[in-house]
Amino acid sequence: MPCLTSLFLMKYFRPVTKMDFFTQNMTRLIANELEKKTGKRPYVIINRLHRSKLDANREVEHAAQGIEDAIQAWNNFSEFILKAKSEIETKMGRGLFFDIHGQSHPQMWLELGYVISPE
């Protein structure tokens, strides 16, 4: 099963500046487990910039706050995702995308969001 783990681009929200704790470790652990179970290593794309510098889950205008270096980082991050998606589609036809990021609310929820098309 081809997989891509990363952060996905969402629209219409202001940047979030609180830190996502443990999401890099969690992403790597999930990727390792997927590899153990399937024998295939998923694509893993991690934004290592603090969310106060770049919130890659937002449209570039909000995500980068008008800062040129942050705009370039957002573009690079988005291009990595699109390249991985294209490779997966070329090799396998389709794949599974994991959008892994933390939450800053105090309820400690585990949230699962998905968009499944009828195709």
Side-chain angles (χ1 to χ4, degrees), residues 57-69:
N57 280 52
R58 309 295 178 232
E59 290 294 322
V60 67
E61 300 81 25
H62 300 288
Q65 304 173 52
I67 300 165
E68 286 300 318
D69 287 341

Side-chain angles (χ1 to χ4, degrees), residues 9 45 47 49 53-61 63-64 67-83:
L9 310 175
I45 303 167
N47 170 24
L49 295 174
K53 304 296 181 195
L54 177 69
D55 184 357
N57 280 52
R58 309 295 178 232
E59 290 294 322
V60 67
E61 300 81 25
I67 300 165
E68 286 300 318
D69 287 341
I71 292 168
Q72 184 61 52
W74 188 94
N75 287 329
N76 291 344
F77 185 75
S78 299
E79 288 170 19
F80 288 138
I81 293 170
L82 293 174
K83 182 177 182 209

